[in-house]
Amino acid sequence: MDFLTTFPSMGRADLAALRRGIDASFRDFSREWGEAIEAFFHPLLRFLVWFDNLLLNTPWPIILGVIGLLVWAGSRSWLMTLGAVAAFFAIGYFGMWRDTMSTLAIISVATILCIAIGIPLGILMARSNRAQSIITPVLDVMQTIPSFVYLIPVVMLLGIGRVPGLIAVCIYALPPIVRLTNLGIRLVDRDVLEAATAFGASSWQKLWGVQIPLALPNIFAGINQTIMMALAMVVIASMIGVQGLGVPVLRAISNQYLALGVMNGLAIVVLAIIFDRVSQRYGQRLQAHRKGQNQ
Amino acid sequence: MSQTPKIKIRNLYKIFGPAPEKVLDQVRAGLSKDALLAQTNHVLGINNVSIDIPPHGLQVIMGLSGSGKSTLIRHINRLIDPTAGEIVIDGEDVLRMSETRLRDLRRFTTSMVFQKFGLLPHRKILQNVAYGLLVQGKSTQEAEARAREWIARVGLDGYENHYPAQLSGGMQQRVGLARALATDADILLMDEAFSALDPLIRTEMQGILLELQKELHKTIVFITHDLDEALRLGDNIAILRDGAVIQQGSAQDIVLAPADAYIRDFIKDINRGRVLRLGALVKGPAPEAPVLPDDTMLADALMTLSEAPQQRVAVADKAGKVIGGVDLKTAIRAIHA
């Protein structure tokens, strides 16, 4: 009877020894390799710091102008441009300019990093079923594992700071762009692809001339999702020393400052909405050819 | 056949399934398509097909859906690899070609028109027509100049900057045709090219194709499930059923001497007066006048026949030499057989 009521688990002492063993070997690993890995990520840190300083040291009217220009270039909508500039003005007026710039810097760098890694990975997945069957479970883990769990080894390796924060953001934000690039390429009409083959297109010509252009709407949806998820990580990233809108939110939580929390939270929401609408509009404009489909 | 064939297909087999080579011998021994599926779970796509396609001719391959015709045409440029057999184009074995050589064959020797058009939806008409040329490595300028010519030839001037989705089906297929012709390939593969179009547009496209062919003299392989289309276009017709060729010959051969009940059933409802020509019915002496060429369709000859003395006309071959006579009764019997 005893067997049925107590789960046959590993002994307490054995389990502790196992955990200690894993911890110790990882600690050894990080002592051995920590510096090398830090050196590897150093260029990233320098870029991040440079970009952060650029945003912070540029006079605010110029930043506002650049934001307006970018929004207009993406959306071609005066209303949206005006709205975005007004929203940023309000953010600055309520004293959140510095933090917003820091957040903007880390989100931009994280997005660029995710695009640079994610799109090639997605292409690889689309071209090889074996790659897909290996990468898919990894993406599943990245998306479902609680962020705090992978923060531990990252902090052990790299300490507290911007780079570990950036890595944490990327782990969380990378999967959608990989998945949607893969999906987009796999969804390309077989008939169109066959026609390209029949005209003697090489696989490179097919990739750049047919598959990627036709997958762009999905790839853009992936970039959009990546940005959204990166923004969602801002508060968690601030726990390991990333400057930005997450820091005051964290302070607000521990001190029960309602207004501070709401204001900074809303600033994150505003950033998200602007990023989302502009990138969606841009994605739509890329599909000019779909107009008149039903004629 | 006197001419060397442009495309030679010999004993071609295509079996779909997990281990086609293993069941090939059974198929060669005569196992039927249904039995093969039931016993081994393999699908017989092409069953021992041999066709010689002469240069500059229009070869129609006809069959109902599932007969293997679209599979067959994809073997010619090896979009599908056969299980066994031989495909020779201009004396060169397509199956032994390296990846690069095969790509060159597809770029320079063959071009293709598809049932569902296969146009690139994100490119304008001009870039679609130029596609084959760009793949060949031509400069954008040259490719677009040639593309413009072909767009004009198929009657689509002014649509260069439209997207495919903005055109009707018939217009899209003209783009497909222009794209295929622009590469200047000798061989034009047309996979049910006009089947998706409505009947009036289809007839119009057939006219355009015949008109262009008069001048271009390409070797055309045309796949269709429509017998009227096959009879109208084909210099030579091969009829396919369950992956095997059951009859090959000219339109008249098939109409006058159907190989089996299946084909007889097929040709029951066609307009024989528009397929049969006087040359096939020549019998007995020729009157002095009137003289008609031997490729006159019976439907067009009836009026002359009925007004001729003794309702009899003389038939002359292409050189103008009289080869015999035909009377009205024979003509009417041939039409109503």
Side-chain angles (χ1 to χ4, degrees):
Chain A
M1 271 332 266
D2 218 29
F3 175 75
L4 290 179
T5 48
T6 357
F7 200 93
S9 69
M10 205 171 172
R12 188 184 283 247
D14 288 345
L15 202 58
L18 177 71
R19 284 200 220 115
R20 261 201 307 277
I22 293 174
D23 287 354
S25 54
F26 189 76
R27 202 174 308 123
D28 290 345
F29 171 79
S30 56
R31 274 193 198 128
E32 187 84 13
W33 293 98
E35 257 172 65
I37 293 173
E38 232 179 291
F40 175 78
F41 284 114
H42 191 67
L44 201 61
L45 178 66
R46 277 180 47 186
F47 178 65
L48 197 56
V49 170
W50 173 80
F51 195 60
D52 202 24
N53 285 337
L54 181 75
L55 286 181
L56 281 174
N57 296 336
T58 311
W60 63 267
I62 296 181
I63 298 273
L64 274 188
V66 171
I67 287 169
L69 222 66
L70 285 177
V71 171
W72 194 80
S75 68
R76 295 288 154 86
S77 151
W78 285 114
L79 195 69
M80 226 180 253
T81 311
L82 229 62
V85 172
F88 268 91
F89 190 82
I91 284 172
Y93 189 71
F94 285 111
M96 297 180 286
W97 185 261
R98 290 188 72 88
D99 284 338
T100 304
M101 287 304 114
S102 291
T103 295
L104 212 53
I106 192 155
I107 296 302
S108 308
V109 174
T111 305
I112 293 168
L113 207 61
C114 285
I115 291 173
I117 299 170
I119 291 182
L121 218 54
I123 293 171
L124 178 73
M125 264 173 98
R127 295 171 81 80
S128 145
N129 285 330
R130 180 191 288 249
Q132 177 173 253
S133 62
I134 294 170
I135 297 172
T136 305
V138 176
L139 296 180
D140 292 339
V141 171
M142 285 164 73
Q143 275 185 305
T144 47
I145 197 166
S147 336
F148 296 108
V149 174
Y150 57 75
L151 284 183
I152 302 165
V154 170
V155 171
M156 278 172 81
L157 262 182
L158 296 167
I160 279 179
R162 290 178 217 242
V163 168
L166 188 67
I167 292 173
V169 171
C170 281
I171 290 176
Y172 188 66
L174 186 65
I177 184 148
V178 180
R179 280 187 208 277
L180 281 156
T181 302
N182 174 34
L183 181 76
I185 291 178
R186 283 177 185 264
L187 282 181
V188 167
D189 191 350
R190 281 171 167 277
D191 295 322
V192 177
L193 207 57
E194 184 185 46
T197 312
F199 278 92
S202 62
S203 47
W204 193 249
Q205 283 170 325
K206 274 185 275 188
L207 181 66
W208 289 104
V210 182
Q211 290 174 304
I212 289 185
L214 290 181
L216 268 188
N218 275 310
I219 294 177
F220 256 83
I223 294 177
N224 177 290
Q225 285 306 301
T226 290
I227 297 172
M228 295 301 113
M229 294 183 74
L231 274 167
M233 277 292 282
V234 164
V235 176
I236 290 174
S238 70
M239 297 174 87
I240 53 170
V242 174
Q243 298 300 307
L245 290 167
V247 178
V249 171
L250 213 57
R251 206 161 29 152
I253 293 171
S254 44
N255 296 314
Q256 298 185 358
Y257 295 148
L258 174 67
L260 182 72
V262 169
M263 262 161 46
N264 284 280
L266 283 180
I268 296 176
V269 172
V270 165
L271 281 186
I273 291 175
I274 293 171
F275 270 124
D276 178 66
R277 297 300 185 275
V278 172
S279 65
Q280 273 193 19
R281 272 292 182 102
Y282 185 66
Q284 279 168 13
R285 276 203 302 120
L286 283 178
Q287 301 179 67
H289 62 85
R290 284 181 206 271
K291 274 186 203 147
Q293 196 111 44
N294 302 319
Q295 277 174 6
Chain B
M1 202 157 280
S2 56
Q3 277 169 309
T4 0
K6 179 87 178 168
I7 306 170
K8 194 169 89 177
I9 300 171
R10 275 289 170 282
N11 308 106
L12 197 73
Y13 288 92
K14 176 66 187 181
I15 301 162
F16 296 99
E21 291 80 13
K22 285 193 185 146
V23 296
L24 182 60
D25 286 333
Q26 283 170 274
V27 173
R28 282 198 165 124
L31 193 68
S32 78
K33 182 174 178 164
D34 294 336
L36 182 76
L37 184 63
Q39 288 173 24
T40 67
N41 207 16
H42 283 67
V43 175
L44 182 54
I46 301 291
N47 185 5
N48 197 14
V49 168
S50 297
I51 300 175
D52 281 335
I53 300 169
H56 317 304
L58 206 162
Q59 169 77 48
V60 169
I61 294 168
M62 210 212 92
L64 298 181
S65 50
S67 62
K69 53 193 190 308
S70 287
T71 309
L72 179 60
I73 200 173
R74 280 170 174 68
H75 280 84
I76 296 174
N77 58 357
R78 245 180 85 191
L79 290 176
I80 297 179
D81 279 311
T83 307
E86 199 183 346
I87 299 155
V88 177
I89 294 179
D90 291 329
E92 195 181 352
D93 189 346
V94 176
L95 301 177
R96 296 226 181 91
M97 286 182 179
S98 66
E99 197 65 33
T100 351
R101 179 70 195 94
L102 181 64
R103 211 182 291 151
D104 278 349
L105 176 92
R106 290 172 180 163
R107 284 180 185 172
F108 298 101
T109 314
T110 67
S111 62
M112 202 160 178
V113 184
F114 299 87
Q115 179 175 12
K116 291 181 194 149
F117 318 136
L119 302 178
L120 305 173
H122 61 296
R123 297 197 186 191
K124 292 175 177 166
I125 300 308
L126 183 63
Q127 279 88 39
N128 262 289
V129 175
Y131 184 71
L133 296 162
L134 293 172
V135 168
Q136 283 179 354
K138 300 263 189 311
S139 71
T140 314
Q141 204 181 2
E142 190 189 345
E144 291 192 353
R146 293 245 305 262
R148 273 178 212 284
E149 284 170 33
W150 281 104
I151 289 171
R153 284 292 288 277
V154 298
L156 285 178
D157 309 83
Y159 287 97
E160 288 87 350
N161 289 320
H162 285 58
Y163 285 104
Q166 295 170 311
L167 305 189
S168 69
M171 288 160 103
Q172 289 191 41
Q173 196 55 300
R174 288 187 204 208
V175 178
L177 189 60
R179 175 176 67 174
L181 291 171
T183 64
D184 214 12
D186 287 345
I187 298 171
L188 188 58
L189 304 172
M190 304 188 70
D191 178 31
E192 298 228 35
F194 304 150
S195 300
L197 309 176
D198 61 56
L200 272 181
I201 307 287
R202 192 185 311 170
T203 315
E204 187 190 329
M205 289 297 290
Q206 290 163 0
I208 292 175
L209 180 68
L210 288 175
E211 199 62 37
L212 287 166
Q213 172 65 353
K214 252 188 224 162
E215 195 183 318
L216 301 170
H217 305 297
K218 304 245 178 212
T219 307
I220 302 178
V221 183
F222 193 101
I223 300 285
T224 181
H225 62 250
D226 175 356
L227 187 66
D228 285 317
E229 187 169 67
L231 296 174
R232 178 169 183 210
L233 295 176
D235 298 323
N236 211 9
I237 299 169
I239 297 180
L240 220 57
R241 186 173 58 164
D242 289 346
V245 173
I246 48 177
Q247 186 168 14
Q248 281 195 69
S250 69
Q252 297 198 78
D253 295 340
I254 288 168
V255 171
L256 289 173
D260 63 10
Y262 178 76
I263 298 178
R264 209 169 299 130
D265 204 36
F266 238 138
I267 60 174
K268 208 171 52 192
D269 296 324
I270 58 148
N271 182 351
R272 297 162 67 95
R274 295 241 154 257
V275 175
L276 299 178
R277 291 161 199 271
L278 279 180
L281 303 178
V282 169
K283 208 169 115 192
E288 285 294 309
V291 181
L292 289 176
D294 63 355
D295 61 353
T296 313
M297 284 188 290
L298 291 192
D300 298 334
L302 285 180
M303 207 56 174
T304 322
L305 271 166
S306 67
E307 284 164 5
Q310 281 130 41
Q311 300 181 319
R312 225 182 142 68
V313 297
V315 178
D317 64 11
K318 286 194 182 58
K321 197 174 138 259
V322 172
I323 51 172
V326 173
D327 64 10
L328 182 61
K329 221 181 190 174
T330 321
I332 291 175
R333 279 217 184 103
I335 291 175
H336 289 280

Short mmCIF file of all heavy atoms in Angstrom, two decimals, chain A residues 191-192 194-202 205-206 209-210 213-214 288-289 291-293 295, chain B residues 74 77 79 103 106-107 111-112 114 116 118-123 131 135 163 165-166 179-180:
data_model
loop_
_atom_site.label_atom_id
_atom_site.label_comp_id
_atom_site.label_asym_id
_atom_site.label_seq_id
_atom_site.Cartn_x
_atom_site.Cartn_y
_atom_site.Cartn_z
N ASP A 191 1.95 26.25 -57.78
CA ASP A 191 1.89 26.44 -59.24
C ASP A 191 2.86 27.52 -59.69
O ASP A 191 3.51 27.39 -60.72
CB ASP A 191 0.46 26.83 -59.65
CG ASP A 191 -0.52 25.70 -59.39
OD1 ASP A 191 -0.13 24.54 -59.61
OD2 ASP A 191 -1.64 25.98 -58.97
N VAL A 192 2.94 28.59 -58.89
CA VAL A 192 3.86 29.67 -59.25
C VAL A 192 5.31 29.18 -59.17
O VAL A 192 6.12 29.45 -60.05
CB VAL A 192 3.64 30.88 -58.32
CG1 VAL A 192 4.64 31.97 -58.64
CG2 VAL A 192 2.22 31.40 -58.43
N GLU A 194 6.31 26.11 -59.47
CA GLU A 194 6.55 25.17 -60.56
C GLU A 194 6.85 25.91 -61.86
O GLU A 194 7.75 25.54 -62.62
CB GLU A 194 5.35 24.25 -60.76
CG GLU A 194 5.62 23.19 -61.81
CD GLU A 194 4.41 22.35 -62.13
OE1 GLU A 194 3.31 22.92 -62.31
OE2 GLU A 194 4.55 21.12 -62.21
N ALA A 195 6.10 27.01 -62.07
CA ALA A 195 6.35 27.80 -63.28
C ALA A 195 7.78 28.33 -63.27
O ALA A 195 8.48 28.27 -64.29
CB ALA A 195 5.34 28.95 -63.36
N ALA A 196 8.23 28.81 -62.12
CA ALA A 196 9.61 29.33 -62.04
C ALA A 196 10.60 28.21 -62.34
O ALA A 196 11.57 28.42 -63.08
CB ALA A 196 9.86 29.93 -60.67
N THR A 197 10.36 27.03 -61.81
CA THR A 197 11.24 25.89 -62.08
C THR A 197 11.24 25.57 -63.57
O THR A 197 12.29 25.33 -64.17
CB THR A 197 10.78 24.64 -61.32
OG1 THR A 197 10.53 25.01 -59.97
CG2 THR A 197 11.83 23.55 -61.36
N ALA A 198 10.05 25.58 -64.17
CA ALA A 198 9.94 25.22 -65.58
C ALA A 198 10.69 26.20 -66.47
O ALA A 198 11.10 25.84 -67.57
CB ALA A 198 8.47 25.15 -65.98
N PHE A 199 10.84 27.44 -66.02
CA PHE A 199 11.60 28.40 -66.82
C PHE A 199 13.09 28.36 -66.49
O PHE A 199 13.85 29.20 -66.95
CB PHE A 199 11.04 29.81 -66.65
CG PHE A 199 9.84 30.03 -67.53
CD1 PHE A 199 8.56 29.80 -67.06
CD2 PHE A 199 10.00 30.42 -68.85
CE1 PHE A 199 7.47 29.96 -67.87
CE2 PHE A 199 8.91 30.59 -69.67
CZ PHE A 199 7.64 30.36 -69.19
N GLY A 200 13.48 27.39 -65.66
CA GLY A 200 14.91 27.19 -65.40
C GLY A 200 15.48 28.05 -64.29
O GLY A 200 16.68 28.25 -64.24
N ALA A 201 14.62 28.55 -63.40
CA ALA A 201 15.14 29.35 -62.29
C ALA A 201 15.95 28.47 -61.35
O ALA A 201 15.54 27.35 -61.05
CB ALA A 201 13.99 30.00 -61.53
N SER A 202 17.10 28.97 -60.89
CA SER A 202 17.90 28.22 -59.92
C SER A 202 17.24 28.37 -58.55
O SER A 202 16.35 29.20 -58.38
CB SER A 202 19.31 28.80 -59.88
OG SER A 202 19.27 30.14 -59.46
N GLN A 205 17.44 31.87 -57.42
CA GLN A 205 16.50 32.76 -58.13
C GLN A 205 15.07 32.55 -57.64
O GLN A 205 14.30 33.50 -57.54
CB GLN A 205 16.56 32.50 -59.64
CG GLN A 205 17.78 33.10 -60.31
CD GLN A 205 17.95 32.61 -61.74
OE1 GLN A 205 17.63 31.47 -62.07
NE2 GLN A 205 18.44 33.48 -62.60
N LYS A 206 14.75 31.30 -57.32
CA LYS A 206 13.40 31.04 -56.82
C LYS A 206 13.21 31.65 -55.44
O LYS A 206 12.18 32.24 -55.16
CB LYS A 206 13.14 29.52 -56.77
CG LYS A 206 12.64 28.97 -58.08
CD LYS A 206 12.28 27.52 -57.95
CE LYS A 206 13.51 26.65 -58.14
NZ LYS A 206 13.19 25.23 -58.21
N GLY A 209 13.40 35.61 -55.97
CA GLY A 209 12.47 36.17 -56.94
C GLY A 209 11.03 35.77 -56.70
O GLY A 209 10.11 36.47 -57.13
N VAL A 210 10.81 34.66 -56.03
CA VAL A 210 9.45 34.16 -55.88
C VAL A 210 9.08 33.94 -54.41
O VAL A 210 8.13 34.51 -53.90
CB VAL A 210 9.26 32.83 -56.65
CG1 VAL A 210 7.83 32.34 -56.53
CG2 VAL A 210 9.64 33.01 -58.12
N PRO A 213 9.54 37.22 -51.82
CA PRO A 213 8.54 38.27 -52.09
C PRO A 213 7.11 37.83 -51.77
O PRO A 213 6.34 38.61 -51.22
CB PRO A 213 8.69 38.55 -53.58
CG PRO A 213 9.97 37.97 -53.99
CD PRO A 213 10.40 36.96 -52.99
N LEU A 214 6.78 36.58 -52.10
CA LEU A 214 5.41 36.14 -51.85
C LEU A 214 5.19 35.82 -50.37
O LEU A 214 4.04 35.79 -49.92
CB LEU A 214 5.07 34.93 -52.72
CG LEU A 214 4.95 35.26 -54.21
CD1 LEU A 214 4.58 34.03 -55.01
CD2 LEU A 214 3.91 36.34 -54.44
N ALA A 288 0.50 45.65 -52.90
CA ALA A 288 -0.28 46.43 -53.87
C ALA A 288 -0.87 45.50 -54.94
O ALA A 288 -1.96 45.73 -55.44
CB ALA A 288 0.60 47.47 -54.52
N HIS A 289 -0.14 44.42 -55.25
CA HIS A 289 -0.57 43.54 -56.35
C HIS A 289 -1.85 42.80 -56.03
O HIS A 289 -2.47 42.24 -56.90
CB HIS A 289 0.53 42.57 -56.70
CG HIS A 289 0.91 41.65 -55.58
ND1 HIS A 289 0.25 40.49 -55.33
CD2 HIS A 289 1.88 41.75 -54.64
CE1 HIS A 289 0.80 39.89 -54.29
NE2 HIS A 289 1.79 40.63 -53.85
N LYS A 291 -4.51 44.11 -54.90
CA LYS A 291 -5.69 44.93 -55.18
C LYS A 291 -6.33 44.48 -56.49
O LYS A 291 -5.65 44.12 -57.43
CB LYS A 291 -5.28 46.40 -55.30
CG LYS A 291 -5.25 47.07 -53.95
CD LYS A 291 -5.00 48.56 -54.12
CE LYS A 291 -4.41 49.13 -52.86
NZ LYS A 291 -3.47 50.20 -53.13
N GLY A 292 -7.64 44.56 -56.53
CA GLY A 292 -8.32 44.22 -57.78
C GLY A 292 -8.39 42.74 -58.02
O GLY A 292 -8.66 42.29 -59.13
N GLN A 293 -8.14 41.95 -56.99
CA GLN A 293 -8.19 40.50 -57.13
C GLN A 293 -9.57 40.02 -57.57
O GLN A 293 -9.70 39.05 -58.30
CB GLN A 293 -7.86 39.87 -55.77
CG GLN A 293 -7.52 38.41 -55.86
CD GLN A 293 -6.06 38.20 -55.56
OE1 GLN A 293 -5.53 38.77 -54.63
NE2 GLN A 293 -5.40 37.40 -56.34
N GLN A 295 -11.88 41.42 -59.39
CA GLN A 295 -12.53 42.05 -60.53
C GLN A 295 -13.00 41.02 -61.54
O GLN A 295 -12.34 40.03 -61.75
CB GLN A 295 -11.56 43.00 -61.23
CG GLN A 295 -11.53 44.34 -60.52
CD GLN A 295 -10.48 45.26 -61.10
OE1 GLN A 295 -9.86 44.93 -62.09
NE2 GLN A 295 -10.31 46.40 -60.49
N ARG B 74 5.09 16.80 -67.90
CA ARG B 74 6.11 17.23 -66.94
C ARG B 74 7.37 16.38 -67.00
O ARG B 74 8.39 16.72 -66.41
CB ARG B 74 5.53 17.24 -65.53
CG ARG B 74 4.71 18.48 -65.27
CD ARG B 74 3.93 18.43 -63.99
NE ARG B 74 3.27 19.71 -63.74
CZ ARG B 74 2.26 20.19 -64.46
NH1 ARG B 74 1.82 19.51 -65.49
NH2 ARG B 74 1.73 21.36 -64.18
N ASN B 77 10.28 18.17 -69.60
CA ASN B 77 11.31 19.04 -69.02
C ASN B 77 11.69 18.60 -67.61
O ASN B 77 12.24 19.36 -66.83
CB ASN B 77 10.88 20.51 -69.05
CG ASN B 77 9.58 20.75 -68.31
OD1 ASN B 77 8.96 19.82 -67.81
ND2 ASN B 77 9.18 21.99 -68.22
N LEU B 79 10.17 18.04 -64.84
CA LEU B 79 9.62 18.52 -63.58
C LEU B 79 9.26 17.31 -62.73
O LEU B 79 9.15 17.38 -61.52
CB LEU B 79 8.38 19.38 -63.82
CG LEU B 79 8.62 20.74 -64.47
CD1 LEU B 79 7.31 21.44 -64.75
CD2 LEU B 79 9.51 21.60 -63.59
N ARG B 103 18.87 22.77 -66.24
CA ARG B 103 18.42 24.15 -66.06
C ARG B 103 18.52 24.90 -67.39
O ARG B 103 17.64 25.66 -67.76
CB ARG B 103 19.28 24.82 -65.00
CG ARG B 103 18.54 25.86 -64.22
CD ARG B 103 19.45 26.53 -63.22
NE ARG B 103 19.85 25.66 -62.14
CZ ARG B 103 21.02 25.77 -61.48
NH1 ARG B 103 21.88 26.71 -61.81
NH2 ARG B 103 21.30 24.94 -60.52
N ARG B 106 15.72 23.95 -69.64
CA ARG B 106 14.48 24.64 -69.26
C ARG B 106 14.53 26.12 -69.62
O ARG B 106 13.51 26.74 -69.90
CB ARG B 106 14.24 24.50 -67.75
CG ARG B 106 13.86 23.09 -67.34
CD ARG B 106 13.82 23.01 -65.84
NE ARG B 106 13.46 21.68 -65.37
CZ ARG B 106 13.69 21.26 -64.13
NH1 ARG B 106 14.26 22.07 -63.26
NH2 ARG B 106 13.32 20.06 -63.76
N ARG B 107 15.74 26.70 -69.59
CA ARG B 107 15.84 28.13 -69.90
C ARG B 107 15.76 28.40 -71.39
O ARG B 107 15.16 29.37 -71.81
CB ARG B 107 17.18 28.67 -69.37
CG ARG B 107 17.18 28.88 -67.89
CD ARG B 107 18.51 29.40 -67.42
NE ARG B 107 18.51 29.48 -65.97
CZ ARG B 107 19.57 29.76 -65.23
NH1 ARG B 107 20.73 30.00 -65.82
NH2 ARG B 107 19.49 29.79 -63.93
N SER B 111 9.77 25.87 -73.06
CA SER B 111 9.07 26.82 -72.22
C SER B 111 7.68 26.27 -72.01
O SER B 111 7.26 25.35 -72.70
CB SER B 111 9.04 28.21 -72.83
OG SER B 111 8.35 28.18 -74.04
N MET B 112 6.97 26.81 -71.04
CA MET B 112 5.76 26.13 -70.62
C MET B 112 4.63 27.10 -70.33
O MET B 112 4.84 28.20 -69.82
CB MET B 112 6.09 25.30 -69.36
CG MET B 112 5.13 24.17 -69.11
SD MET B 112 5.90 22.95 -68.01
CE MET B 112 4.55 21.81 -67.83
N PHE B 114 0.79 27.13 -68.37
CA PHE B 114 0.12 26.31 -67.37
C PHE B 114 -1.38 26.55 -67.34
O PHE B 114 -1.86 27.64 -67.64
CB PHE B 114 0.68 26.63 -65.98
CG PHE B 114 2.15 26.35 -65.88
CD1 PHE B 114 3.08 27.31 -66.25
CD2 PHE B 114 2.59 25.13 -65.43
CE1 PHE B 114 4.43 27.05 -66.16
CE2 PHE B 114 3.94 24.87 -65.34
CZ PHE B 114 4.86 25.82 -65.70
N LYS B 116 -3.23 26.83 -64.68
CA LYS B 116 -3.56 27.89 -63.72
C LYS B 116 -2.65 29.09 -63.92
O LYS B 116 -2.38 29.84 -62.99
CB LYS B 116 -3.45 27.36 -62.31
CG LYS B 116 -4.53 26.34 -61.99
CD LYS B 116 -4.40 25.86 -60.57
CE LYS B 116 -5.23 24.62 -60.34
NZ LYS B 116 -4.59 23.77 -59.33
N GLY B 118 0.15 30.28 -63.57
CA GLY B 118 1.46 30.30 -62.91
C GLY B 118 2.18 31.63 -63.03
O GLY B 118 3.40 31.68 -63.09
N LEU B 119 1.42 32.73 -63.09
CA LEU B 119 2.07 34.04 -63.17
C LEU B 119 2.55 34.46 -61.78
O LEU B 119 2.02 34.01 -60.77
CB LEU B 119 1.09 35.08 -63.72
CG LEU B 119 0.51 34.76 -65.09
CD1 LEU B 119 -0.49 35.83 -65.51
CD2 LEU B 119 1.62 34.66 -66.13
N LEU B 120 3.56 35.32 -61.76
CA LEU B 120 4.06 35.81 -60.48
C LEU B 120 3.16 36.96 -60.03
O LEU B 120 3.18 38.02 -60.64
CB LEU B 120 5.50 36.29 -60.63
CG LEU B 120 6.46 35.26 -61.23
CD1 LEU B 120 7.82 35.89 -61.50
CD2 LEU B 120 6.60 34.07 -60.33
N PRO B 121 2.38 36.76 -58.97
CA PRO B 121 1.37 37.75 -58.61
C PRO B 121 1.96 39.09 -58.18
O PRO B 121 1.29 40.11 -58.29
CB PRO B 121 0.61 37.09 -57.46
CG PRO B 121 1.50 36.04 -56.94
CD PRO B 121 2.36 35.60 -58.07
N HIS B 122 3.21 39.08 -57.72
CA HIS B 122 3.78 40.32 -57.20
C HIS B 122 4.52 41.11 -58.27
O HIS B 122 5.08 42.15 -57.98
CB HIS B 122 4.72 40.01 -56.04
CG HIS B 122 5.88 39.14 -56.44
ND1 HIS B 122 5.71 37.84 -56.88
CD2 HIS B 122 7.20 39.38 -56.47
CE1 HIS B 122 6.90 37.33 -57.16
NE2 HIS B 122 7.81 38.24 -56.92
N ARG B 123 4.53 40.59 -59.49
CA ARG B 123 5.22 41.34 -60.55
C ARG B 123 4.23 41.81 -61.59
O ARG B 123 3.24 41.14 -61.86
CB ARG B 123 6.26 40.45 -61.22
CG ARG B 123 7.33 40.02 -60.28
CD ARG B 123 8.51 39.53 -61.07
NE ARG B 123 9.52 38.98 -60.17
CZ ARG B 123 10.73 38.67 -60.56
NH1 ARG B 123 11.08 38.85 -61.82
NH2 ARG B 123 11.60 38.18 -59.71
N TYR B 131 10.14 37.40 -67.45
CA TYR B 131 10.72 36.52 -66.44
C TYR B 131 11.71 35.49 -67.01
O TYR B 131 12.83 35.36 -66.53
CB TYR B 131 9.62 35.80 -65.65
CG TYR B 131 10.17 34.96 -64.53
CD1 TYR B 131 10.70 35.58 -63.41
CD2 TYR B 131 10.21 33.57 -64.59
CE1 TYR B 131 11.23 34.84 -62.37
CE2 TYR B 131 10.74 32.83 -63.56
CZ TYR B 131 11.25 33.46 -62.46
OH TYR B 131 11.79 32.72 -61.43
N VAL B 135 15.68 35.14 -66.17
CA VAL B 135 16.26 33.91 -65.63
C VAL B 135 17.42 33.45 -66.53
O VAL B 135 18.42 32.94 -66.06
CB VAL B 135 15.19 32.81 -65.51
CG1 VAL B 135 15.81 31.45 -65.23
CG2 VAL B 135 14.22 33.16 -64.39
N TYR B 163 -1.05 44.42 -62.63
CA TYR B 163 -0.68 43.17 -61.97
C TYR B 163 -1.59 42.06 -62.51
O TYR B 163 -2.72 42.32 -62.93
CB TYR B 163 -0.85 43.29 -60.46
CG TYR B 163 0.24 44.10 -59.81
CD1 TYR B 163 0.01 45.41 -59.39
CD2 TYR B 163 1.50 43.56 -59.63
CE1 TYR B 163 1.02 46.15 -58.80
CE2 TYR B 163 2.51 44.30 -59.05
CZ TYR B 163 2.27 45.59 -58.64
OH TYR B 163 3.26 46.32 -58.07
N ALA B 165 -3.48 39.92 -61.16
CA ALA B 165 -4.81 39.81 -60.55
C ALA B 165 -5.80 40.83 -61.13
O ALA B 165 -7.00 40.70 -60.94
CB ALA B 165 -4.71 39.97 -59.04
N GLN B 166 -5.27 41.84 -61.80
CA GLN B 166 -6.17 42.86 -62.36
C GLN B 166 -6.70 42.47 -63.73
O GLN B 166 -7.52 43.17 -64.30
CB GLN B 166 -5.42 44.20 -62.46
CG GLN B 166 -5.05 44.75 -61.09
CD GLN B 166 -4.11 45.93 -61.19
OE1 GLN B 166 -3.10 45.88 -61.89
NE2 GLN B 166 -4.44 47.00 -60.49
N ARG B 179 4.87 35.05 -72.13
CA ARG B 179 6.04 34.72 -71.32
C ARG B 179 6.76 33.50 -71.90
O ARG B 179 7.99 33.47 -71.98
CB ARG B 179 5.60 34.43 -69.88
CG ARG B 179 6.74 33.96 -69.00
CD ARG B 179 6.30 33.77 -67.57
NE ARG B 179 5.35 32.68 -67.41
CZ ARG B 179 4.92 32.23 -66.24
NH1 ARG B 179 5.32 32.82 -65.13
NH2 ARG B 179 4.06 31.24 -66.17
N ALA B 180 5.95 32.52 -72.34
CA ALA B 180 6.57 31.30 -72.87
C ALA B 180 7.23 31.57 -74.22
O ALA B 180 8.31 31.05 -74.51
CB ALA B 180 5.52 30.21 -73.00
#
